[in-house]
Amino acid sequence: VGTMVAIGGVIGIAAALALGRGAQSLLFGVKGFDAVSTAGGALLLTAIALAASLAVLGAFLINLVVSRQTDLDDGQMRLRHFGQMVAEHTARSLEAVDILLRDMATDLSKPGHQWEASRGWEYVSQRHSRSLPQLRDLIVFDDQGDQRFISTYFPTPRINVRDRPYFMALEKGADTATFGPYVGRTSGRYTYGLARPLQNGLGVGRQ
């Protein structure tokens, strides 16, 4: 704004000096009864003031347009940087959850695990680390899609997820599956699902 006002001021001053010279020539030697010269000088002075005002106004309007475009460009750049930061943070969060799921899938695929309700809940609740605040639930489903154990509820609510895309992807042989955002049937809240298969069932971790 300051730059454009300064430019407008310079233009206005230059115009004022030029028109002032003309006014001086008209008013030089004017006498009280010289009505024509007096009227011409008054009109010229008015034109000088008007020209200076228009120059400043024009500079302000030009600066307004330029500033608006600059603000839009800055906003787009900040939004792009913010989106990139959120994407990188989300990727790291999902990677940490996937590491936990991979370890659980390897462990639970080994023989010898007892699947009583209390033992299963204790296992998944202990794996639900507080160092992963982005992790909402750890869930184990059986091969029919029935929810067997969930880290945040005991006793485990009875729901079935066989129609969920992540479950169907694992049934078809995928090593891992993602799905979301969607509304969880247990929590009733928006969530995002990461899933890994077990040799003797299906294990799902939800963020």
Side-chain angles (χ1 to χ4, degrees), residues 86-173:
V86 171
E88 292 176 352
H89 177 73
T90 302
R92 288 193 297 268
S93 298
L94 295 179
E95 182 179 359
V97 173
D98 189 52
I99 291 173
L100 174 61
L101 285 182
R102 187 167 57 247
D103 291 342
M104 284 184 61
T106 301
D107 185 35
L108 293 178
S109 295
K110 297 176 182 178
H113 286 284
Q114 301 296 322
W115 292 101
E116 290 83 5
S118 59
R119 177 69 183 91
W121 175 81
E122 182 180 357
Y123 178 87
V124 295
S125 63
Q126 288 177 353
R127 289 298 189 108
H128 194 157
S129 173
R130 293 183 180 179
S131 63
L132 295 175
Q134 69 272 28
L135 181 62
R136 177 169 294 166
D137 303 307
L138 276 176
I139 309 173
V140 175
F141 298 101
D142 62 22
D143 56 359
Q144 299 301 313
D146 293 324
Q147 182 172 255
R148 297 290 300 276
F149 312 111
I150 179 171
S151 60
T152 52
Y153 291 87
F154 185 81
T156 301
R158 294 184 177 181
I159 65 169
N160 187 280
V161 296
R162 193 159 193 171
D163 61 331
R164 292 291 198 189
Y166 57 79
F167 191 93
M168 292 187 287
L170 296 183
E171 278 190 316
K172 294 177 181 178

Side-chain angles (χ1 to χ4, degrees), residues 33-47:
F33 57 87
D34 194 349
V36 175
S37 297
T38 301
L43 289 175
L44 186 57
L45 290 175
T46 303

Side-chain angles (χ1 to χ4, degrees), residues 2-87:
T3 302
M4 290 301 179
V5 170
I7 294 174
V10 170
I11 295 174
I13 292 173
L17 290 176
L19 295 175
R21 291 282 183 173
Q24 183 179 12
S25 64
L26 288 174
L27 295 176
F28 180 75
V30 173
K31 299 181 179 180
F33 57 87
D34 194 349
V36 175
S37 297
T38 301
L43 289 175
L44 186 57
L45 290 175
T46 303
I48 293 172
L50 182 60
S53 299
L54 290 177
V56 174
L57 178 60
F60 175 78
L61 292 177
I62 293 173
N63 180 74
L64 187 63
V65 173
V66 173
S67 297
R68 179 178 179 275
Q69 186 60 44
T70 301
D71 291 341
L72 288 175
D73 293 340
D74 290 343
Q76 290 177 352
M77 182 179 65
R78 292 180 182 179
L79 182 60
R80 185 165 53 252
H81 290 169
F82 179 76
Q84 183 178 358
M85 180 185 67
V86 171

